[in-house]
Amino acid sequence: GENVEQHPSTLSVQEGDSAVIKCTYSDSASNYFPWYKQELGKRPQLIIDIRSNVGEKKDQRIAVTLNKTAKHFSLHITETQPEDSAVYFCAAHGSSNTGKLIFGQGTTLQVKP
Amino acid sequence: GAGVSQSPSNKVTEKGKDVELRCDPISGHTALYWYRQSLGQGLEFLIYFQGNSAPDKSGLPSDRFSAERTGGSVSTLTIQRTQQEDSAVYLCASSVDRGQRELFFGEGSRLTVL
């Protein structure tokens, strides 16, 4: 079945530095890759997503890149701020026939002021 | 409008007891998911409902776990003969349809099995 691997499990950066989180997926039919942010004690919320017909998408300080050949995608956060501290989850959605969304194990990002 | 609602928010039970967790999705959302999040862990897929189609139960960890969705809306996750390893936060999420859409999560039901 579909499997999503996420690295690193924890990441600590200084405020203003960049952070990169990487994910790989197993199902070559996957065609939708969202990223969710979960602040402490809160529910996960979508922050950005990318579909298989594009290689990169940006939204202010966050960007996601996708390499379908290698089956990996990454989240890039620039100019990190303390409020970026949270757990980030990548996910992969299989072909339209399957419907389910499989998440990676999560990355705990700590931004030190 | 109202978001995804889950109840109870907290449940403490004794090993061997059955528990039911409820999820009210956003009105009009046809897709509904259950995930399990153990302490400090990721989001483990349990089950997925889409409209009137047969649910995808491939993530249920054992036959003690079951879920139903009545009338295409409210869903109930049932855990029979609970074990300590069932302790986790159970998250429900809904989305507009089966397609590649944003999932809206509930606050979760925290289950503690003593």
Side-chain angles (χ1 to χ4, degrees):
Chain A
E2 174 70 271
N3 186 48
V4 178
E5 297 287 335
Q6 182 172 348
H7 301 279
S9 57
T10 60
L11 180 59
S12 182
V13 300
Q14 288 295 134
E15 182 177 359
D17 287 351
S18 295
V20 180
I21 303 170
K22 299 181 179 182
C23 289
T24 59
Y25 59 97
S26 59
D27 186 353
S28 57
S30 294
N31 52 16
Y32 173 63
F33 308 91
W35 287 85
Y36 284 76
K37 175 183 180 182
Q38 186 178 30
E39 297 178 356
L40 190 62
K42 301 283 185 65
R43 69 190 81 186
Q45 292 188 302
L46 178 71
I47 55 171
I48 193 167
D49 56 16
I50 189 168
R51 301 177 193 278
S52 59
N53 57 344
V54 297
E56 184 176 4
K57 183 177 179 180
K58 287 184 179 180
D59 183 3
Q60 299 183 337
R61 295 187 297 108
I62 60 173
V64 58
T65 58
L66 171 65
N67 183 328
K68 285 219 71 179
T69 302
K71 293 192 287 187
H72 68 68
F73 56 113
S74 301
L75 178 71
H76 304 253
I77 306 174
T78 58
E79 300 172 25
T80 53
Q81 300 168 4
E83 53 264 38
D84 294 331
S85 296
V87 179
Y88 291 81
F89 293 97
C90 63
H93 186 288
S95 67
S96 59
N97 289 333
T98 64
K100 67 187 180 188
L101 195 63
I102 301 299
F103 285 86
Q105 298 89 338
T107 296
T108 300
L109 173 65
Q110 181 186 28
V111 180
K112 299 178 181 177
Chain B
V4 177
S5 178
Q6 291 188 245
S7 61
S9 54
N10 275 288
K11 176 71 175 180
V12 180
T13 190
E14 294 179 346
K15 178 181 173 181
K17 301 278 188 168
D18 297 352
V19 296
E20 285 189 350
L21 307 176
R22 176 188 168 104
C23 173
D24 273 292
I26 293 173
S27 177
H29 281 194
T30 61
L32 186 147
Y33 301 75
W34 283 98
Y35 290 91
R36 178 168 70 175
Q37 187 170 33
S38 301
L39 186 63
Q41 299 299 307
L43 299 167
E44 178 189 4
F45 169 78
L46 297 178
I47 189 168
Y48 161 64
F49 296 89
Q50 170 55 44
N52 296 320
S53 302
D56 181 335
K57 304 178 182 180
S58 58
L60 295 178
S62 77
D63 58 7
R64 297 186 295 104
F65 288 73
S66 63
E68 62 177 21
R69 188 179 185 190
T70 54
S73 181
V74 172
S75 177
T76 302
L77 176 69
T78 301
I79 309 172
Q80 295 179 310
R81 305 180 302 282
T82 52
Q83 304 294 313
Q84 288 184 332
E85 59 263 29
D86 298 335
S87 297
V89 175
Y90 290 82
L91 287 163
C92 175
S94 70
S95 68
V96 171
D97 58 29
R98 172 168 68 176
Q100 299 147 1
R101 308 284 191 172
E102 178 177 3
L103 261 59
F104 293 86
F105 283 86
E107 297 278 9
S109 291
R110 181 178 297 278
L111 174 66
T112 302
V113 182
L114 302 176

